[in-house]
Amino acid sequence: MRNNLKVKFHFDRLHCHDEADGWGNAEPYMWTVFFKIDGTTCRLNDSLMLEGTATIFTTHGSHGNLGDSDVDAGDTVPIPSAIGFKEMTLTPIPVPDIVKKLGTDDVPAVAGCIVVLMEEDNVSDDGAEAGHHALNAGVQQALNSLIPTLGFTKQDISDDDIKDLTGKIQSKIENAIKNQQNFFENFWSWINADDTIGTAVFKFSGDQLLEQNPASLHKRWTNDNGDWELFGSVDTLEQPSCPANVVKGIIDAVFGESSSKKSMSAMHDFRNNEFKRFDGLEYWWAIAQRNSHYLKLALNNREVSEAAVSLFQDIPELLSNREKPLSDFHFNCAAKVLKHIATLNEKDRQSRKDINRSIDALNMLQGKSLNDLFESLSKVRPARYPTVKALGSDLKLKIQKRESGR
């Protein structure tokens, strides 16, 4: 199961090697359209083809939007954040149950940006802005028409797809400019129309963003309109999945989506109403979130999966009787999951510390109630030797000596 991604596109600067504008200097402007194809608006249908719509994020301005109308060879133009920066959340694309049962929980989403770099000549301001609006509309339409061609066996947007996309958009821009301008403006711009220095399409799957993080956004155009170079990067931060959702995915795949509703509802109710009473408990929950991918791996083990599912399905009863001591059965289920994770994270130092501290905390609180557990953990952050006073005496969650290399 893939996690959501926080993705930040940032075009930093534009460098002019040669403005190719004769005796005068250049007046560049830039259009950007950021986009994503993800699980917020798309899904894989039962025919294993993608359906839905793309999400685009447009920017403002045309003539003069780079803030420098006097660019000469050797100049570097900073890209204003209003044009060059966009932050978005990328959600994996959901798949039908038949695919989940085969072991695939989702397919990667796609994020990207289309850049058009122009040089101002005789096109009117209104004409340029009409072209900008045509670009935005064209990108939305082109991406929406591309989505049904993607599916389980064709998840990537190809170079041919991009070439077809940009070709269609270019004609829409030219027509929009002509339709916006009057006869004299069209005649004047026909003599010396604004020049397209170049276009670029940057696109990444969610998996590529994580593999290449941070990924470069670089393009150099060398043609009759000069020699220009664009620089930027895209940074990606993985947002850990809720551990409950990891177990929910297993239950839904085996028993159907309705099977997990009662447990999820009980947890949501606890989070919204009771969780805030235990100030500090969020640090321990962060451990669970950080290690959700190891939990997913652990659930491939049948015994561990059965233990986790048993705990998950009993959550409504456990949360409604938080004063009742935790049974040996539930304690052993939790211990089995944690101990198996400890066999999977040997090369991850942070995860080893997280899980070892969680195991020691669980052992210390054996036979106590959930309220005791919550009260105790809320009063101490995870640490090597945290002191807990919630149970009436100074107790220490001591990290026992582990085997060599653990």
Side-chain angles (χ1 to χ4, degrees):
M1 180 180 295
R2 292 175 174 84
N3 293 324
N4 287 355
L5 304 177
K6 183 71 72 176
V7 181
K8 295 180 181 180
F9 285 86
H10 181 209
F11 291 103
D12 176 57
R13 65 195 186 279
L14 175 68
H15 183 75
C16 176
H17 296 277
D18 176 13
E19 88 287 357
D21 215 31
W23 291 101
N25 290 342
E27 301 173 271
Y29 60 99
M30 194 168 86
W31 295 330
T32 52
V33 184
F34 301 91
F35 66 87
K36 66 174 182 174
I37 299 173
D38 77 338
T40 57
T41 56
C42 295
R43 70 181 185 93
L44 198 70
N45 61 29
D46 290 337
S47 300
L48 304 186
M49 298 302 293
L50 203 60
E51 63 179 36
T53 58
T55 303
I56 70 168
F57 307 92
T58 61
T59 55
H60 297 288
S62 294
H63 285 169
N65 70 352
L66 290 178
D68 192 338
S69 59
D70 188 21
V71 180
D72 203 354
D75 291 347
T76 297
V77 181
I79 307 295
S81 60
I83 302 169
F85 180 82
K86 182 60 193 177
E87 181 176 322
M88 65 181 76
T89 298
L90 204 59
T91 302
I93 296 173
V95 299
D97 288 343
I98 188 172
V99 177
K100 289 182 180 179
K101 290 178 181 179
L102 297 175
T104 299
D105 298 310
D106 47 54
V107 293
V110 174
C113 181
I114 295 175
V115 177
V116 180
L117 183 62
M118 304 286 290
E119 204 275 315
E120 181 180 346
D121 284 315
N122 289 344
V123 168
S124 68
D125 290 347
D126 287 344
E129 196 55 31
H132 190 181
H133 289 305
L135 170 68
N136 296 338
V139 169
Q140 181 74 74
Q141 183 178 1
L143 289 174
N144 286 348
S145 65
L146 178 63
I147 285 173
T149 70
L150 303 174
F152 193 70
T153 59
K154 182 183 182 298
Q155 299 179 20
D156 191 30
I157 299 174
S158 69
D159 291 339
D160 287 339
D161 292 331
I162 291 174
K163 184 177 180 180
D164 184 55
L165 181 150
T166 54
K168 291 177 180 178
I169 293 173
Q170 182 67 33
S171 62
K172 292 178 182 295
I173 293 172
E174 292 171 356
N175 290 334
I177 291 173
K178 291 177 182 177
N179 291 335
Q180 178 65 33
Q181 297 183 142
N182 61 40
F183 170 79
F184 295 104
E185 287 173 328
N186 278 330
F187 180 76
W188 185 239
S189 63
W190 172 76
I191 295 174
N192 188 18
D194 285 6
D195 297 316
T196 301
I197 296 171
T199 62
V201 179
F202 301 94
K203 50 128 183 118
F204 306 89
S205 71
D207 293 349
Q208 290 172 331
L209 287 168
L210 287 175
E211 291 169 4
Q212 302 174 21
N213 190 33
S216 174
L217 300 174
H218 175 260
K219 182 68 176 180
R220 185 167 181 172
W221 299 279
T222 303
N223 49 47
D224 292 341
N225 297 316
D227 185 352
W228 302 78
E229 193 168 9
L230 179 65
F231 298 89
S233 63
V234 53
D235 294 283
T236 305
L237 178 65
E238 191 170 15
Q239 298 181 304
S241 298
C242 172
N245 285 336
V246 175
V247 182
K248 174 183 181 296
I250 299 294
I251 292 178
D252 288 350
V254 177
F255 302 108
E257 293 188 7
S258 62
S259 303
S260 62
K261 287 184 177 179
K262 190 174 181 180
S263 294
M264 293 301 292
S265 177
M267 285 189 290
H268 288 158
D269 184 63
F270 176 77
R271 179 194 65 191
N272 295 333
N273 298 292
E274 299 294 328
F275 189 83
K276 58 188 176 183
R277 286 182 44 217
F278 303 101
D279 187 31
L281 193 60
E282 66 270 17
Y283 297 108
W284 291 89
W285 184 244
I287 284 182
Q289 288 183 303
R290 277 202 303 269
N291 291 276
S292 61
H293 59 295
Y294 287 116
L295 173 59
K296 181 185 176 182
L297 290 174
L299 294 180
N300 289 323
N301 179 287
R302 181 175 178 179
E303 291 185 3
V304 174
S305 178
E306 289 175 350
V309 168
S310 295
L311 270 177
F312 184 85
Q313 291 180 325
D314 288 347
I315 279 175
E317 177 187 350
L318 292 172
L319 289 178
S320 62
N321 296 281
R322 294 200 307 275
E323 295 294 342
K324 183 179 178 181
L326 190 68
S327 70
D328 288 342
F329 172 75
H330 291 124
F331 173 86
N332 290 332
C333 285
K336 182 173 292 185
V337 173
L338 289 172
K339 288 177 180 179
H340 190 73
I341 291 176
T343 69
L344 302 174
N345 62 1
E346 293 183 353
K347 296 182 179 180
D348 188 335
R349 184 171 180 271
Q350 180 61 58
S351 179
R352 292 202 312 271
K353 292 193 296 183
D354 287 344
I355 300 305
N356 288 341
R357 289 165 186 173
S358 299
I359 291 173
D360 289 325
L362 182 66
N363 287 335
M364 188 199 74
L365 296 168
Q366 185 174 9
K368 306 297 182 183
S369 69
L370 277 186
N371 271 351
D372 289 335
L373 174 68
F374 296 154
E375 288 284 356
S376 299
L377 297 184
S378 68
K379 297 188 183 309
V380 60
R381 297 187 185 186
R384 186 172 178 83
Y385 297 113
T387 299
V388 179
K389 299 182 179 180
L391 299 182
S393 61
D394 289 348
L395 300 173
K396 289 191 175 183
L397 308 185
K398 292 186 178 180
I399 302 300
Q400 299 175 6
K401 184 177 181 181
R402 309 290 173 183
E403 299 88 347
S404 176
R406 291 290 308 279

